[in-house]
């Protein structure tokens, strides 16, 4: 179903089989873009209270109202857990928000971004300029193409890989596969860290458990964190973090920004306290993740 067809009587309603039995609505002032790319349906509209909104295949990806809550956490949970995150690869992230935050980090020297859909980049440059401003940053190198193919040709190269992808349907489906995580592992340096969009713990717990079990087997360390994003399903999104270094301590950041740095970086959400608290999870989530960890330990024992 196209995004435009989900607008009725002046309201966009996000109905999707990925979160059955619930929907989320925003009042629409003006449709800015409605088109089909080679990969997906692309919609941008101006909302009543949430600024401009990017929708792909009928699912909200970002709003000007709350995008920073997601972008800052996906970036700085990983970058501040690494001693020297100088070289960063972003998979996806066509709106530019993740690259904008990565570019702020003083230790980052270069950013490579692989986005398969050039239409998303072009649309965001025109209608989501506060995020897409990152594409003009001197640290930035944008590659329009398949992130799988790119990583196959870049082994042991990156300190950080950030996977900023939509839900596991359409062009993003492969980015939740075993092959994807294996390619990430090979493209990271020996102490490299992955930060990936990790879905909602209220809806996709089984998927999260499977991803965590796999990452525990592939990486030396894996952890799950959470944050609030009002316009995402259930108002919550998770982050899957994995490191090739067994000594990585995700819960205690190696880099802590001063108040002056936070202001100059224009951080609106992330700080060291939220970094630590992001790993404090509800009891039902901890129980489920413990099951996946026990399965990992059992598999290690049987090897």
């Amino acid at each position: 179903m196209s995004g435009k067809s989900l607008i009725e009587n002046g309201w966009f309603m996000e109905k999707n089989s990925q979160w059955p039995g619930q929907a989320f609505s925003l009042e629409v002032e003006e449709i800015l873009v409605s088109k089909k790319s080679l990969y997906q349906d692309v919609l941008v509209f101006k909302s009543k209270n949430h600024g401009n909104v990017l929708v792909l295949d009928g699912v909200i990806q970002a709003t000007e109202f709350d995008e920073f809550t997601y972008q800052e956490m996906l970036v700085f949970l990983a970058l501040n857990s690494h001693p020297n995150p100088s070289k960063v690869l972003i998979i996806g992230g066509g709106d530019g928000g993740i690259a904008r935050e990565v570019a702020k980090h003083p230790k980052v020297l270069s950013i490579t971004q692989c986005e398969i859909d050039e239409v998303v980049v072009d649309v965001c440059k025109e209608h989501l300029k506060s995020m897409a401003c990152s594409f003009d940053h001197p640290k930035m190198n944008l590659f329009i193409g398949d992130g799988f193919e790119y990583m196959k040709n870049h082994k042991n190269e990156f300190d950080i890989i950030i996977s900023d992808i939509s839900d596991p349907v359409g062009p993003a489906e492969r980015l939740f596969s075993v092959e994807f995580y294996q390619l990430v592992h090979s493209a990271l340096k020996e102490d490299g860290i992955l930060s990936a969009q990790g879905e909602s713990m209220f809806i996709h717990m089984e998927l999260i458990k499977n991803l965590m079990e796999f990452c525990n087997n592939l990486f030396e360390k894996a952890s799950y964190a959470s944050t609030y994003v009002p316009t995402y399903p259930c108002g919550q999104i998770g982050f899957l973090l994995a490191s090739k270094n067994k000594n990585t301590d995700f819960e205690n950041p190696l880099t802590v920004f001063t108040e002056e740095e936070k202001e100059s970086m224009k951080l609106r959400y992330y700080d060291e306290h939220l970094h630590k608290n992001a790993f404090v999870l509800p009891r039902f989530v901890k129980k489920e993740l413990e099951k996946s960890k026990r399965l990992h330990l059992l598999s290690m024992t049987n090897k």
Side-chain angles (χ1 to χ4, degrees):
M1 182 179 290
S2 74
K4 191 174 181 180
S5 68
L6 293 172
I7 297 175
E8 189 174 334
N9 298 322
W11 287 80
F12 169 83
M13 184 171 288
E14 185 185 61
K15 294 179 181 177
N16 196 283
S17 59
Q18 296 178 85
W19 32 91
Q22 67 182 64
F24 178 76
S25 291
L26 288 174
E27 190 172 4
V28 178
E29 283 196 348
E30 180 186 359
I31 296 174
L32 302 173
V33 177
S34 180
K35 63 170 67 176
K36 283 271 190 185
S37 74
L38 289 173
Y39 303 97
Q40 56 205 332
D41 182 86
V42 181
L43 171 71
V44 179
F45 65 87
K46 181 181 179 183
S47 69
K48 185 77 172 177
N49 297 312
H50 288 62
N52 290 353
V53 180
L54 173 66
V55 180
L56 300 179
D57 283 340
V59 176
I60 294 171
Q61 304 299 309
T63 81
E64 290 179 316
F65 169 71
D66 62 7
E67 52 86 9
F68 62 94
T69 65
Y70 168 79
Q71 323 278 14
E72 291 182 18
M73 294 296 278
L74 184 60
V75 168
F76 293 112
L77 288 176
L79 268 63
N80 286 352
S81 296
H82 193 287
N84 186 31
S86 63
K87 195 167 186 178
V88 178
L89 172 66
I90 302 167
I91 304 294
D95 55 52
I98 292 298
R100 179 195 65 198
E101 298 303 320
V102 172
K104 293 177 181 179
H105 200 290
K107 292 183 180 179
V108 171
L109 300 179
S110 72
I111 306 163
T112 301
Q113 180 167 348
C114 296
E115 167 59 53
I116 199 167
D117 197 339
E118 190 170 18
V119 170
V120 174
V121 174
D122 291 341
V123 161
C124 292
K125 283 181 177 179
E126 184 175 357
H127 297 290
L128 290 164
K129 294 179 181 179
S130 64
M131 287 185 274
C133 61
S134 59
F135 295 123
D136 296 324
H137 198 281
K139 295 181 183 179
M140 184 69 173
N141 175 37
L142 178 62
F143 170 76
I144 300 296
D146 189 342
F148 274 64
E149 295 305 315
Y150 187 89
M151 286 190 290
K152 286 177 183 177
N153 298 310
H154 295 267
K155 307 289 187 182
N156 304 309
E157 187 170 325
F158 298 98
D159 301 297
I160 304 285
I161 295 178
I162 299 175
S163 177
D164 178 26
I165 54 178
S166 52
D167 301 294
V169 293
E173 188 171 5
R174 283 202 305 159
L175 302 179
F176 287 83
S177 67
V178 169
E179 181 191 2
F180 173 72
Y181 284 91
Q182 289 171 333
L183 284 172
V184 167
H185 190 274
S186 66
L188 285 168
K189 295 178 184 176
E190 61 182 16
D191 61 348
I193 289 175
L194 163 69
S195 181
Q197 189 269 101
E199 297 298 322
S200 172
M201 60 191 176
F202 295 104
I203 303 173
H204 298 118
M205 198 62 237
E206 200 59 36
L207 173 63
I208 293 165
K209 268 185 7 184
N210 291 339
L211 290 175
M212 285 297 294
E213 182 183 348
F214 180 72
C215 282
N216 274 314
N217 281 311
L218 182 62
F219 291 84
E220 292 295 324
K221 196 80 171 282
S223 193
Y224 189 80
S226 175
T227 195
Y228 308 106
V229 185
T231 51
Y232 284 174
C234 299
Q236 178 271 335
I237 196 73
F239 309 108
L240 194 161
L241 293 127
S243 177
K244 293 174 77 170
N245 180 359
K246 66 180 179 180
N247 296 316
T248 299
D249 182 1
F250 287 118
E251 297 181 25
N252 294 291
L254 289 173
T255 300
V256 176
F257 301 130
T258 66
E259 289 304 311
E260 291 77 11
E261 286 173 327
K262 293 171 195 172
E263 287 299 313
S264 67
M265 294 166 71
K266 298 181 180 178
L267 296 181
R268 292 185 281 170
Y269 194 85
Y270 174 89
D271 67 13
E272 66 276 14
H273 307 294
L274 275 171
H275 183 121
K276 294 181 180 182
N277 288 340
F279 296 92
V280 179
L281 301 172
R283 283 174 54 78
F284 81 92
V285 178
K286 288 192 288 186
K287 285 182 179 181
E288 292 298 323
L289 294 183
E290 277 300 317
K291 289 179 187 176
S292 68
K293 190 172 288 187
R294 284 198 296 271
L295 287 172
H296 162 63
L297 293 174
L298 183 62
S299 68
M300 294 295 289
T301 303
N302 292 333
K303 282 183 179 179

